[in-house]
Amino acid sequence: MLNIHVRKRQGDFTIDAGFSVGDAGVTALFGTSGAGKTSIVNMVAGLSKPDSGRIVLNGRSLFDSEQGINEPPERRRVGYVFQDARLFPHLSVKANLTYGMRLVPHTERYVNFDEVVRLLGIEALLDRRPARLSGGEKQRVAIGRAFLCSPALLLMDEPLASLDQSRKSEVLPFISQLSTCFSTPILYVSHILDEIEELADNLVLIDKGAVVAAGPFDQLKTSRELAELMGKTGVRRGMPSRGLKIAS
Amino acid sequence: MMDFLHLTPVEWAAIKLSLRVSGWAVLGSLPLGVLTAWVLARWRFPGKSILDGLIHLPLVLPPVVTGYVLLILLGRKGVLGKFLYDTFGLTMAFTWKGAVAASAVMAFPLLVRAVRLSVDSVDQGLEKAARTLGAGPIRVFLTVSLPLMIPGIITGTILAFARSLGEFGATITFVSNIQGETQTLPLALYSLTQVPDGEIGALRLCIVAIILAMTALLASEWMSKRFAAYIKG
């Protein structure tokens, strides 16, 4: 369970947002581009520091401005899949996958290497260098790398944004599959509703740095807040070719 | 013909000394050079431009001035020199170790500049990704940043090595021109041009200098290509 309430000023833009992420399933952080979604996720990861507030993960304070707590990213047990895969170019796929895993004590590992590799279908890629991978393959490796850290929470910041349509359908099914398989809670950032429809159990709607609505996706999908948000530019109904659902 | 190519013992000594001095100068300054480049590229602190200026000073000063400053600082009666002698029994002035110091100081800015460029080229997004994977700052530096800086480190090392091989002004001012102790290749070449019948020896050393420089350049080129091929997989 993640509880977060943070405030941060960035120029003349202020983020003041509070919400919770449950113990399992996918929670989508949905809003227009520039609504502050990435900033919030970066604060959860410890890559940027809120001006004030609290971030509590499973009862452990990751950040608390009153108590002066600010855990560094490497001690948060929060995984992160970035928009660009950010694989280490000098390491093989296998070394990329195990980079974080090797730093986790055996007793705290709940994600199995062989299983992740099998689920993601990347057995044949293990000895390659990232430069030899396609965009979709890179993102799958990045997802595997983040899962293999056995995180208490996994952040995904528009992991499909840099992929074209057919590549997206090459990655999307794996996300829900892995999430179910290891029951890792995921906080998924997106501005494309179709992705969220496919993945999300819960929804947090963000606008201008604040939460406008939060709750189970099924309840919110017909809500006025979502309709209002969809009326704005910068969110997308989604993929033009809905019929194209290829599981590779 | 073979006689012409035959190096005299004095010339051999100068070549070996040059390689030894340059090798130590580069090896010794490499860790500090990488650290300095990192600090200058990534940190912000008051007085940074002064540090930057100090490091680059040997590049713009006349080498004789740098040599004289070294003599004042590192000579037996100098501030640093006295300390080194009293604590480690280390004598810099008029020894080959002093030649190493002179070469290192002269080559340092070139090393730092090359490495600094490679620090700028390291994608900080990769470092952040490594942090979220559980690696602390030092581990991230050693396993992500440093390996990705290798091209710049190769270039910097070769530039510094070549600069050290060619070092003349600061060396002759600081440690003088003592055969077998501080007479490096350029100093030996210079000495040979000052004596009658020295031309042939000077020519031989000139050829050796060209061969050494070319070898260093080719080696750097080869290593850079190997690294690029390695990254491509």
Side-chain angles (χ1 to χ4, degrees):
Chain A
M1 182 84 168
L2 173 81
N3 283 301
I4 170 171
H5 197 129
V6 286
R7 269 173 304 274
K8 186 177 174 73
R9 252 188 98 83
Q10 294 173 314
D12 48 6
F13 181 74
T14 305
I15 290 169
D16 189 343
F19 59 89
S20 302
V21 177
D23 277 333
V26 178
T27 302
L29 202 57
F30 183 70
T32 58
S33 0
K37 305 185 296 292
T38 299
S39 307
I40 292 173
V41 167
N42 280 341
M43 289 186 239
V44 177
L47 296 178
S48 97
K49 194 180 165 205
D51 295 335
S52 63
R54 291 185 73 188
I55 302 170
V56 182
L57 179 60
N58 299 336
R60 189 167 63 101
S61 285
L62 302 182
F63 177 84
D64 191 324
S65 52
E66 277 171 24
Q67 291 183 55
I69 297 171
N70 185 19
E71 288 280 312
E74 64 269 23
R75 285 214 296 264
R76 295 195 174 200
R77 304 285 318 268
V78 172
Y80 200 148
V81 177
F82 299 86
Q83 221 176 84
D84 44 338
R86 300 199 186 176
L87 299 181
F88 306 125
H90 58 298
L91 300 178
S92 68
V93 166
K94 189 175 181 186
N96 266 285
L97 286 168
T98 55
Y99 185 92
M101 187 183 87
R102 288 185 296 119
L103 301 172
V104 179
H106 280 273
T107 48
E108 288 172 36
R109 292 184 196 171
Y110 67 86
V111 179
N112 177 274
F113 180 83
D114 294 330
E115 207 168 355
V116 166
V117 169
R118 190 179 53 79
L119 281 172
L120 289 168
I122 50 177
E123 297 97 331
L125 311 177
L126 290 179
D127 294 326
R128 288 200 211 164
R129 210 86 60 196
R132 288 276 169 95
L133 304 180
S134 73
E137 287 169 340
K138 275 183 194 161
Q139 205 52 283
R140 263 146 68 193
V141 174
I143 290 168
R145 182 176 71 171
F147 265 104
L148 282 166
C149 294
S150 302
L153 171 73
L154 189 53
L155 308 169
M156 292 193 171
D157 184 13
E158 313 222 16
L160 308 181
S162 58
L163 305 178
D164 58 39
Q165 205 46 245
S166 58
R167 298 290 179 211
K168 280 183 186 176
S169 43
E170 191 187 294
V171 175
L172 197 58
F174 293 109
I175 295 175
S176 40
Q177 220 177 332
L178 284 166
S179 155
T180 323
C181 182
F182 301 112
S183 55
T184 306
I186 295 178
L187 182 58
Y188 188 97
V189 169
S190 183
H191 66 283
I192 298 170
L193 194 61
D194 279 7
E195 281 175 32
I196 284 173
E197 264 181 328
E198 199 148 331
L199 287 172
D201 306 301
N202 297 294
L203 195 56
V204 176
L205 297 178
I206 300 276
D207 193 25
K208 297 192 193 91
V211 175
V212 288
F217 179 73
D218 293 332
Q219 281 174 32
L220 278 179
K221 68 180 171 189
T222 52
S223 69
R224 187 178 47 84
E225 288 87 353
L226 183 59
E228 271 173 16
L229 212 58
M230 290 307 295
K232 300 194 174 195
T233 50
V235 285
R236 289 232 315 269
R237 176 64 221 170
M239 316 174 183
S241 47
R242 277 290 281 167
L244 253 176
K245 263 195 208 164
I246 316 153
S248 56
Chain B
M1 188 63 197
M2 290 311 284
D3 279 352
F4 161 69
L5 286 176
H6 196 75
L7 292 157
T8 65
V10 173
E11 289 158 18
W12 258 121
I15 293 165
K16 280 195 277 187
L17 179 68
S18 254
L19 290 173
R20 180 160 56 139
V21 166
S22 306
W24 278 114
V26 172
L27 276 181
S29 54
L30 196 56
L32 189 65
V34 171
L35 188 75
T36 310
W38 182 265
V39 166
L40 288 177
R42 289 288 177 85
W43 294 12
R44 285 168 187 212
F45 53 92
K48 180 172 153 178
S49 43
I50 293 174
L51 177 69
D52 203 1
L54 270 178
I55 288 161
H56 282 87
L57 214 49
L59 205 60
V60 288
L61 275 177
V64 180
V65 174
T66 307
Y68 191 66
V69 170
L70 286 174
L71 190 60
I72 294 168
L73 287 176
L74 289 170
R76 274 288 274 279
K77 286 173 190 147
V79 192
L80 279 169
K82 195 172 182 323
F83 168 77
L84 286 175
Y85 183 74
D86 290 346
T87 26
F88 305 109
L90 196 66
T91 311
M92 285 278 186
F94 309 111
T95 68
W96 72 273
K97 290 166 200 138
V100 170
S103 285
V105 168
M106 292 301 292
F108 199 64
L110 292 172
L111 176 64
V112 169
R113 285 177 81 85
V115 178
R116 188 174 171 175
L117 281 179
S118 72
V119 176
D120 289 336
S121 74
V122 173
D123 178 1
Q124 296 196 36
L126 293 176
E127 294 167 353
K128 285 178 183 164
R131 293 289 296 274
T132 67
L133 291 167
I138 292 171
R139 185 184 292 271
V140 172
F141 177 77
L142 293 176
T143 60
V144 177
S145 322
L146 197 58
L148 294 175
M149 282 156 58
I150 285 175
I153 294 175
I154 294 171
T155 311
T157 304
I158 297 298
L159 273 176
F161 184 73
R163 180 69 188 79
S164 297
L165 275 180
E167 193 357 74
F168 182 86
T171 306
I172 203 167
T173 315
F174 179 31
V175 292
S176 183
N177 185 359
I178 306 160
Q179 229 174 61
E181 183 67 36
T182 65
Q183 191 181 66
T184 56
L185 193 153
L187 299 189
L189 207 161
Y190 170 75
S191 302
L192 282 168
T193 61
Q194 300 299 305
V195 294
D197 311 324
E199 287 92 347
I200 291 189
L203 192 59
R204 277 196 293 265
L205 285 182
C206 174
I207 292 169
V208 170
I210 292 171
I211 291 172
L212 286 178
M214 274 306 283
T215 310
L217 273 180
L218 290 176
S220 128
E221 194 73 3
W222 180 76
M223 284 190 280
S224 298
K225 276 195 185 136
R226 279 288 305 270
F227 182 79
Y230 178 82
I231 290 285
K232 275 190 200 135

